[in-house]
Amino acid sequence: MGKPKILIIGAGYGGMMTTVRLTKELEADDADITLVNKHNYHYQTTWLHEAAAGTIHHDRTRMLIKNVINTNRVNFVQDSVRSIDKENKKVVLKNSEIDYDYLVIGLGFESNTFGIKGLDENAFAIRSVNTARKIREHIEYKFASYNNDPDAKDSDLTIVVGGAGLSGVEFLGELVNRIPKLCKEYDVDPSKVRIIDVEGTPLVLPPFERDLAEYAQKYLEGKGVEFRLSTFIKEAMPGGVKVQKQGSDQLEEIEAGTVVWTGGVKASHIPADSGFETNRGKIQVTDDLRAPDDDHVFAVGDVAIVFPAEGERPYPPSAQIAVQQAETVAKNLKHLIKEEPTEKFVYEPKGTVASLGEKEAIGVVFDKKLTGKTAAALKKVIDDRYLLMLGGIGLLLKKGKLNLL
């Protein structure tokens, strides 16, 4: 009998960290490891809002997979996953098929438009390096053409952001830093620019404690952001959006040159379409992170759902939980290969930080509330720690944010 084949699909936080940890947990003779991803790079999803606003270059967010993984130990296949054939233990790709003995699903998220009319066609979403790049280029184009295009309108300088969750608020924080520079560069009167956030709930940053969320809201309002809370986007059009205030029958039209939707994501459709038992489109993993209906399959990151206890809300998907899941999955694959009992996944939340631009943030870390420059510095420390775990000191010095040199 040959070496067991471990196949990891998706090179997000969960997939990449599983791959890197496996090469540390296993000897070369223990298993054949294959990683499949549609791009030849891995990217920091938590930096995409910066690339979208243009405060960092999109290339800063990504790193070539071959520069991070041990290519002597891992076979990397660049291809798109089409489906998983559970019965025959193989994954169907766009260009081939790969057999496995053990599968790790780390396929990430898709934008969730909740069926809102016109959103797919007329709004941007911060989903990937390429979509972030398109948003940056589009906003810059609107500013560049404002004084040069005879048909330009003031509303071309209005940016509507759908959603005031973590990604929406972090994007707003980058925008309020970027807009003054664009105004200066293209000689645009800053008073002509409007940034409007439309959020269906009455709260900004629902997962955060109210005093921290209010700090973030007041900071952004002080920089000119208009919040429309308890208000829903009902339709996106080429020139703006139609919104409806909760409890009102009236639709209001907001003219805008740019609409960016951050209002929700959903797990990749592939596990559900491939016949896995799912809850809200995600695999409700067992306590050792395996699929409940297939003990040769693990799920990590956005495609996995983990409940702290029965009756409680699931842990929100984040880079932090995906990285911790990956460490447990790597250990459990080693245990299975060595015919040892698997370990239970225990999530240890270290806290959450929301950036509000380069020098502002809010957060709770080890139950301590932080705001301002301290929280902003800590966000950089968290991001840099991931780079260190993933690719060692070389990757940290190349991509890190604290400029240690």
Side-chain angles (χ1 to χ4, degrees), residues 137-400:
E137 288 173 350
H138 177 81
I139 291 171
E140 194 154 326
Y141 172 76
K142 289 293 180 186
F143 277 77
S145 55
Y146 178 70
N147 285 321
N148 301 312
D149 183 350
D151 297 325
K153 311 190 293 284
D154 283 358
S155 64
D156 289 345
L157 300 174
T158 296
I159 300 168
V160 170
V161 177
L166 187 60
S167 54
V169 165
E170 288 194 318
F171 179 55
L172 292 169
E174 298 302 320
L175 276 180
V176 298
N177 279 356
R178 179 75 175 135
I179 295 303
K181 292 172 184 165
L182 287 173
C183 288
K184 198 172 177 184
E185 188 174 342
Y186 295 108
D187 199 22
V188 169
D189 178 355
S191 68
K192 304 273 190 198
V193 182
R194 291 177 77 195
I195 304 172
I196 303 167
D197 184 273
V198 181
E199 166 59 45
T201 74
L203 304 169
V204 167
L205 290 172
F208 282 83
E209 292 185 42
R210 285 305 86 209
D211 53 342
L212 289 176
E214 281 162 15
Y215 176 97
Q217 186 175 341
K218 284 196 175 78
Y219 169 77
L220 292 169
E221 285 173 339
K223 295 282 187 177
V225 176
E226 304 168 42
F227 284 95
R228 302 285 189 92
L229 303 178
S230 302
T231 302
F232 300 93
I233 292 178
K234 292 308 229 183
E235 184 181 344
M237 304 161 301
V241 291
K242 287 180 181 171
V243 302
Q244 187 174 30
K245 181 94 175 156
Q246 203 167 349
S248 165
D249 297 331
Q250 300 296 311
L251 284 179
E252 178 195 350
E253 194 168 318
I254 301 173
E255 291 187 9
T258 308
V259 179
V260 180
W261 175 250
T262 70
V265 296
K266 59 187 176 185
S268 163
H269 65 281
I270 287 170
D273 289 355
S274 300
F276 282 92
E277 196 180 299
T278 56
N279 179 341
R280 307 173 206 192
K282 303 181 178 208
I283 296 173
Q284 188 174 332
V285 289
T286 57
D287 61 9
D288 63 359
L289 298 176
R290 283 189 275 185
D293 49 347
D294 192 327
D295 59 10
H296 291 85
V297 176
F298 290 86
V300 292
D302 292 288
V303 294
I305 190 166
V306 178
F307 291 86
E310 205 161 319
E312 292 187 24
R313 290 172 66 86
Y315 290 121
S318 66
Q320 183 184 171
I321 193 169
V323 167
Q324 290 187 31
Q325 286 170 336
E327 292 180 343
T328 301
V329 166
K331 284 178 189 166
N332 282 340
L333 282 163
K334 177 186 176 181
H335 291 319
L336 289 172
I337 287 166
K338 306 279 186 191
E339 298 183 341
E340 300 164 352
T342 57
E343 297 177 29
K344 185 176 178 179
F345 173 64
V346 180
Y347 178 44
E348 295 173 9
K350 306 276 196 292
T352 309
V353 180
S355 68
L356 301 168
E358 174 70 16
K359 296 183 172 66
E360 271 289 338
I362 58 162
V364 178
V365 179
F366 297 118
D367 297 329
K368 188 175 169 57
K369 291 181 189 178
L370 301 168
T371 57
K373 287 182 180 173
T374 311
L378 193 71
K379 178 79 162 70
K380 293 182 176 71
V381 169
I382 292 165
D383 290 343
D384 283 2
R385 179 176 176 267
Y386 169 70
L387 294 172
L388 187 64
M389 289 169 68
L390 184 68
I393 195 78
L395 187 62
L396 174 63
L397 294 177
K398 193 174 178 187
K399 295 284 184 180

